[in-house]
Each structure stands twice: as C-alpha cells, then as structure tokens.
Amino acid sequence: MPFEVYPGPNKAENGEKLLYVKPKSGMKRTLQELEDFYSYKYSFRKGDMTRLFEAFIEMSAKAMAQGYRIETPIGTFAPKLRFKRNLVDKLTNPDEVKHNDVELEGIDCKLSKKYKRELKIEIGTDGFRYVRKAMSSRILINQQHLEEALRKSLKYNKGYTTVYSFAIYSGLTEYSARKQLNHWCNGEHPRLQRSRVSRAVIYTEI
C-alpha cells in the first residue's frame, strides 16, 4: 500500500512538527470500476453491485429508523443520536426530555474482524511503500526499477497486470503507467499483450 508522510499540527519537544502518515492521495476507485474489473471473476451482471448497494441502503435505513443495529460481513451500522445543540447545556432532568429534542448526528460504523483481516491479507508480505512524490520522468528512465515493478505486479496478480497495479508498484501516475505498459506492447519484439476482459484492460506477458 503506497503512503505519504506530512507534517502535522502537533510539535515534538524540539519544536519540530510531528509527522503523520496516510495512504497516497488521489487513490480512488468507484463501485462501478470495481464491478467492471471483477465482473468476470464473480459472474456479475452489469449493475448487480450497484443495485445490491442501493437495496441495502434502502432496507438498512428503514431498519435503523426503527432503532435497529445492522450487522453485515463488512461491519455493524447503528444510528447515532444527540440532543439538539440549543438544548445540550439545558437538559438535566430525564422527565423533561421530549421526542423532538433529539436529532440524528450520523451513523456509527464498526468494521468487522473479517473485513479487517481480509485487508491485512491483501496487503500481504509487500506491506507498505513510502511514496516521496518522485517525478514520473525520473522513474521512467530507471529501467531496472520498472522491470522489478512489472515483475512484482505480475506475480501479485498471478500472471497479469493492470494500469492501477503497475502504478502502485512503480510509483508512476496512472497516466505514465499506462503509457509505459502500452510501450511494452509495441515494437518488433513486444514484451506484453494488451487485452480486454469485460470492461477491464489487462496486460499479460507474451
């Protein structure tokens, strides 16, 4: 998992700002993109995942509106309530509380152990990679690094790679990663072959 490091608001004893870490910025996948890529593996019909989530949102919202907690393989969801802001410092007697003194603050979500365990498995032995915002142009001239990144990506995906996967291992932007992969598909002696599975583009060795 690629991560970045930033100076935080808190300071160390020497006055230097303490660092905090977070996943690399700009990393995003929509539900549709996940469905497009994995539809061949799980035999999804187009829109199945979207319809499933839409149904879950509707059914779980109705149940939580009645006060229920919702337990799923992903985690547990529960409504979070609070007294209205203008009453927080005024109410001291439970008998004085009225039904319209309460409002919805949000939804509590506690991720399941199974979901957390699956994420740890996917991270696997590759662990974490510090991304120091290197310029793609500097990465692209390091042929040894590109070859190693391709090898790791092919191994992780069991024989194929994608733009997203290669970008992760190489540190390139997805634009530059796609450009490099397509370069390996061209010429008299191409290294890779580009093909489409469902709506996903994959690259395999020749």
Side-chain angles (χ1 to χ4, degrees), residues 25-122:
S25 59
M27 307 289 285
K28 183 181 74 172
R29 278 289 177 267
T30 65
L31 181 62
Q32 181 179 348
E33 288 173 325
L34 291 176
E35 183 179 39
D36 289 344
F37 186 77
Y38 289 106
S39 59
Y40 74 95
K41 181 177 180 180
Y42 297 103
S43 300
F44 289 144
R45 294 175 301 171
K46 185 175 181 180
D48 274 355
M49 287 184 67
T50 298
R51 287 189 289 272
L52 176 62
F53 272 87
E54 288 176 348
F56 171 75
I57 290 172
E58 180 180 349
M59 291 185 295
S60 61
K62 288 182 179 179
M64 283 192 288
Q66 298 174 23
Y68 290 102
R69 301 171 63 87
I70 309 298
E71 295 183 354
T72 75
I74 294 177
T76 300
F77 301 85
K80 186 177 181 180
L81 306 180
R82 69 182 177 192
F83 288 117
K84 293 181 178 179
R85 296 187 184 279
N86 61 329
L87 298 172
V88 171
D89 300 326
K90 297 179 181 179
L91 294 174
T92 58
N93 186 349
D95 294 332
E96 295 177 354
V97 177
K98 300 179 179 61
H99 68 277
N100 58 355
D101 292 336
V102 176
E103 63 184 3
L104 179 68
E105 181 177 357
I107 299 176
D108 277 327
C109 176
K110 182 179 180 181
L111 297 181
S112 67
K113 293 181 179 179
K114 179 180 179 181
Y115 195 29
K116 293 178 182 178
R117 183 169 63 250
E118 188 66 25
L119 177 56
K120 290 181 179 179
I121 292 172
E122 289 297 327

Side-chain angles (χ1 to χ4, degrees), residues 138-203:
R138 297 178 62 182
I139 297 176
L140 287 169
I141 63 176
N142 188 340
Q143 193 63 33
Q144 182 178 351
H145 171 75
L146 294 175
E147 293 285 345
E148 180 66 12
L150 177 61
R151 184 189 67 78
K152 289 182 177 180
S153 184
L154 289 170
K155 180 180 179 181
Y156 177 79
N157 293 288
K158 296 179 174 56
Y160 71 90
T161 187
T162 63
V163 170
Y164 172 70
S165 179
F166 181 62
I168 291 294
Y169 284 99
S170 64
L172 294 167
T173 63
E174 291 195 23
Y175 172 82
S176 295
R178 182 179 293 104
K179 184 177 180 180
Q180 178 61 43
L181 290 172
N182 288 336
H183 172 73
W184 276 327
C185 293
N186 300 325
E188 295 183 5
H189 304 286
R191 170 79 178 277
L192 300 174
Q193 175 177 297
R194 183 175 59 249
S195 57
R196 183 176 292 276
V197 179
S198 184
R199 296 178 62 181
V201 175
I202 65 172
Y203 297 82

